[in-house]
């Protein structure tokens, strides 16, 4: 974890030590988290869920300000961070349209970040380039949270994805998780596969040939002794699957539109197909979907993608409270 302004406090009781561990730190990659960290984050997220159910909004982060800086489109990530901050009593500087900010005048990312940290206590950043959050964090004294850096990582999404698995199925231990669709450009699966490698899981990657999981990620996960296999056909692995994680083919990352057209409809999850899956399993999707899960499946109890969005609110509330030292 990248260390910012505050000193570690080893003399504090355990809960406070965990708080000190996250206080003032960046969240850039899932590789910075241990299993212990995840248990702590999920415990705080659970408390946030209960507080929201009981009183909706409370004053834990009153007086704190979040800069929500998005250089790429977003509905869920951006609005869930806004909702998370406001439910904790804080406020938000929303920059969703960088073309209306000084970015359109040619301002560099380091300068934009150094500006925003004068006005805010934490910066959430989505950017089309891999490593943009790490670059921003190098220049910022305040914590930076990576909300997606191109085809790189999307760590807060992976945390909410894992939290969804834990809430819905009890634990990730021993599960077979099948990732379907665009595994090459999908940053959510890059982060989630890495995070799942902390557990005893089987990972199944189903994609068209040109959209396979990057070999360097497979190698990284292989070094942790995780059972991984690659497939073209979903039916080869559907029966053994406990979590089917569906992704959108990332149209905006293709250089040649013809390549996109060739693979865009490669897989469609629909009710008939899901008859051969387990009764006790879940289907997830980071959303937005553009046809890869048929709406006829939405009312199936195994369809967890709408619940997954809600879990994201609690995880992001937990993360904001933690990096601002209030968990
Ligand atoms: C994802 C993203 O932006 O990477 N969406 C999200 O954050 N919920 C997935 C996608 O755009 O397909």
């Amino acid at each position: 974890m990248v260390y910012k302004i505050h000193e570690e406090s080893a003399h504090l009781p355990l809960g406070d030590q965990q708080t000190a561990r996250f206080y003032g730190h960046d969240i850039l990659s899932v590789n910075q988290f241990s299993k212990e960290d995840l248990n702590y984050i999920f415990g705080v997220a659970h408390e946030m869920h209960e507080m929201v159910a009981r009183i909706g909004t409370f004053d834990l982060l009153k007086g704190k300000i979040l800069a929500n800086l998005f250089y790429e489109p977003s509905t869920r990530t951006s609005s869930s961070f806004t909702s998370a901050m406001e439910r904790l009593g804080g406020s938000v500087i929303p920059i969703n349209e960088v073309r209306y900010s000084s970015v359109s005048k040619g301002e560099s990312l380091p300068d934009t970040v150094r500006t925003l940290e004068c006005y805010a206590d934490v910066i959430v950043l989505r950017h089309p380039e891999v490593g943009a959050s790490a670059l921003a964090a190098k220049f910022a004294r305040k914590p930076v949270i990576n909300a997606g850096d191109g085809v790189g990582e999307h760590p807060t999404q992976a945390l909410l994805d894992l939290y969804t698995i834990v809430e819905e199925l009890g634990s990730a231990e021993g599960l077979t998780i099948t990732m379907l669709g665009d595994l090459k450009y999908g940053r959510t699966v890059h982060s989630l596969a890495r995070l799942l490698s902390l557990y005893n899981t089987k990972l199944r990657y189903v994609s068209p040939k040109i959209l396979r999981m990057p070999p360097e990620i497979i190698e990284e996960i292989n070094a942790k002794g995780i059972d991984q296999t690659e497939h073209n056909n979903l039916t080869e692995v559907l029966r053994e699957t406990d979590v089917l994680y569906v992704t959108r083919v990332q149209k905006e990352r293709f250089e040649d539109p013809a390549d996109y057209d060739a693979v865009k409809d490669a897989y469609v999850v629909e009710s008939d197909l899901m008859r051969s899956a387990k009764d006790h399993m879940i289907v997830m999707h980071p959303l937005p979907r553009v046809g890869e899960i048929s709406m006829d499946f939405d009312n199936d109890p195994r369809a967890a993608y709408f619940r997954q969005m809600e879990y994201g609110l609690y995880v992001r509330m937990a993360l904001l409270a933690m990096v601002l030292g209030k968990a």
Side-chain angles (χ1 to χ4, degrees):
M1 233 172 276
V2 182
Y3 184 67
K4 293 280 169 76
I5 358 180
H6 307 283
E7 295 294 319
E8 298 287 358
S9 312
H11 58 283
L12 295 171
L14 194 61
D16 294 347
Q17 269 185 44
Q18 285 281 14
T19 303
R21 201 167 135 42
F22 291 98
Y23 181 25
H25 288 82
D26 304 309
I27 296 175
L28 302 178
S29 160
V30 290
N31 286 341
Q32 70 191 65
F33 297 111
S34 65
K35 258 174 150 172
E36 216 175 41
D37 294 334
L38 297 173
N39 289 339
Y40 180 70
I41 295 168
F42 296 163
V44 177
H46 200 81
E47 282 174 33
M48 294 299 181
H49 189 164
E50 284 177 0
M51 290 293 279
V52 170
R54 243 190 303 147
I55 53 173
T57 296
F58 45 104
D59 276 348
L60 194 66
L61 295 183
K62 191 172 156 68
K64 298 289 183 188
I65 298 176
L66 157 72
N68 222 14
L69 178 59
F70 280 69
Y71 289 73
E72 278 191 340
S74 169
T75 303
R76 272 149 292 270
T77 308
S78 163
S79 52
S80 67
F81 267 113
T82 299
S83 175
M85 196 62 185
E86 292 188 354
R87 285 195 180 277
L88 291 167
S91 50
V92 181
I93 302 172
I95 307 187
N96 286 322
E97 288 276 11
V98 286
R99 67 194 148 104
Y100 295 127
S101 74
S102 285
V103 169
S104 66
K105 300 180 189 167
E107 186 167 66
S108 69
L109 180 63
D111 281 3
T112 302
V113 161
R114 279 187 287 218
T115 307
L116 288 172
E117 72 173 349
C118 299
Y119 314 132
D121 302 287
V122 53
I123 297 168
V124 169
L125 174 68
R126 170 169 289 187
H127 196 281
E129 280 162 38
V130 176
S133 296
L135 176 73
K138 221 171 99 184
F139 286 91
R141 288 174 304 112
K142 306 272 175 73
V144 171
I145 299 178
N146 179 2
D149 60 331
V151 301
E153 278 220 36
H154 195 346
T156 69
Q157 178 72 41
L159 292 171
L160 80 88
D161 291 340
L162 180 59
Y163 182 61
T164 302
I165 293 170
V166 172
E167 287 285 299
E168 298 268 326
L169 299 176
S171 157
E173 289 298 345
L175 299 187
T176 298
I177 290 124
T178 298
M179 301 184 180
L180 176 73
D182 187 347
L183 310 184
K184 179 179 181 189
Y185 297 122
R187 56 194 169 201
T188 68
V189 284
H190 299 167
S191 288
L192 183 60
R194 288 181 168 118
L195 200 57
L196 287 168
S197 71
L198 289 175
Y199 300 85
N200 173 28
T201 52
K202 289 187 181 135
L203 301 180
R204 304 288 175 250
Y205 306 129
V206 184
S207 70
K209 256 205 177 75
I210 62 163
L211 297 179
R212 286 199 168 157
M213 184 66 87
E216 61 275 17
I217 297 182
I218 294 191
E219 263 167 48
E220 191 184 319
I221 292 171
N222 204 30
K224 298 195 179 152
I226 299 294
D227 174 347
Q228 306 172 89
T229 54
E230 296 184 275
H231 310 264
N232 289 321
N233 239 314
L234 177 59
T235 49
E236 289 167 24
V237 291
L238 187 57
R239 276 173 207 282
E240 62 167 313
T241 296
D242 299 296
V243 175
L244 177 59
Y245 193 96
V246 186
T247 64
R248 171 179 72 89
V249 178
Q250 309 277 299
K251 184 179 184 181
E252 66 275 29
R253 313 277 182 220
F254 282 74
E255 274 165 27
D256 183 349
D259 286 345
Y260 171 72
D261 287 335
V263 290
K264 68 178 197 289
D265 299 318
Y267 307 98
V268 180
V269 172
E270 35 84 33
S271 294
D272 267 357
L273 173 81
M274 290 305 291
R275 272 195 202 126
S276 57
K278 292 181 182 179
D279 288 336
H280 187 56
M281 59 84 72
I282 55 172
V283 176
M284 298 174 62
H285 194 308
L287 302 174
R289 65 173 158 185
V290 288
E292 57 280 349
I293 302 179
S294 161
M295 280 174 72
D296 81 352
F297 186 68
D298 291 355
N299 292 327
D300 190 299
R302 295 171 294 177
Y305 31 95
F306 298 127
R307 301 193 289 275
Q308 184 183 350
M309 284 194 279
E310 186 185 330
Y311 292 128
L313 171 68
Y314 311 128
V315 168
R316 288 180 171 131
M317 287 175 79
L319 295 174
L320 290 173
M322 288 161 65
V323 299
L324 293 170
K326 298 283 185 174

